[in-house]
Amino acid sequence: MNAPGSAAAGALEVLAGRRQSLAVAESLTGGLVAGELTAVPGASRVVRGAVTAYATDVKRELLGVDGALLADRGAVDGEVARQMAGGVRRVLGADWGIATTGVAGPEPQDGQPVGTVYVAVQGPDGAGQVRRLMLAGDRDRIRRDSVHAVLALLLSELTENVRAQDTEQHGGN
């Protein structure tokens, strides 16, 4: 899995350089994101921990995802992913949080077809991004592609944030 490993290593390098930490909240990926991150040597300098919030009540009770939102839209939702990323930051005391939620199959869930996935990143200022993905393939492929997508989103958010900080510090508008 070269691409996700590269994104994991790149993100961890940026975070270590900033002396910032990362926490992971996972649903459909069931620990694969944390596994990919902690496979990188030196990950312990950055990774605070992970929560596999597979059950809806764990998302609500542990990560603080709004219960009315979960009741109304289900767990497969962009706002749920955003709240998971923010919740894991808070619970684990990290600067950055990332999250995955979606449907790996074999059956649809919460009215969403197999392959519907949301990945989210939230940074220290509360800003971040959520992406909706429509992935193809079997359960394993959807889960692996979700890992790649959340790590790529994290790396992208970190590098965009670096460019924004550089502009602020070196005379940008």
Side-chain angles (χ1 to χ4, degrees):
M1 242 181 108
N2 193 20
S6 298
L12 291 173
E13 182 178 336
V14 171
L15 288 166
R18 292 183 187 180
R19 300 182 196 271
Q20 291 182 323
S21 58
L22 176 65
V24 181
E26 301 186 62
S27 187
L28 84 150
T29 50
L32 294 173
V33 176
E36 196 71 43
L37 288 163
T38 58
V40 176
S44 62
R45 295 178 299 156
V46 171
V47 178
R48 296 273 305 153
V51 173
T52 301
Y54 213 61
T56 300
D57 64 316
V58 174
K59 291 174 183 70
R60 181 183 63 248
E61 293 170 18
L62 183 61
L63 297 178
V65 176
D66 181 81
L69 172 68
L70 288 164
D72 185 46
R73 298 188 198 167
V76 183
D77 180 78
E79 179 60 18
V80 170
R82 188 190 69 73
Q83 289 186 22
M84 288 174 65
V88 80
R89 277 186 64 231
R90 177 185 46 76
V91 168
L92 297 183
D95 297 299
W96 291 82
I98 60 177
T100 62
T101 188
V103 186
E107 299 296 321
Q109 177 186 335
D110 296 332
Q112 300 289 338
V114 172
T116 304
V117 174
Y118 292 90
V119 295
V121 174
Q122 189 177 81
D125 59 1
Q129 287 193 45
V130 176
R131 286 233 170 95
R132 180 179 190 258
L133 311 169
M134 292 304 298
L135 302 174
D138 64 11
R139 182 176 174 80
D140 184 57
R141 175 69 184 258
I142 290 167
R143 294 173 75 214
R144 282 286 171 192
D145 287 350
S146 298
V147 171
H148 174 75
V150 77
L151 293 174
L153 182 61
L154 173 63
L155 184 57
S156 171
E157 188 72 10
L158 288 168
T159 55
E160 288 300 315
N161 194 285
V162 166
R163 282 195 280 276
Q165 284 181 352
D166 186 57
T167 300
E168 288 174 14
Q169 292 171 0
H170 296 103
N173 293 343

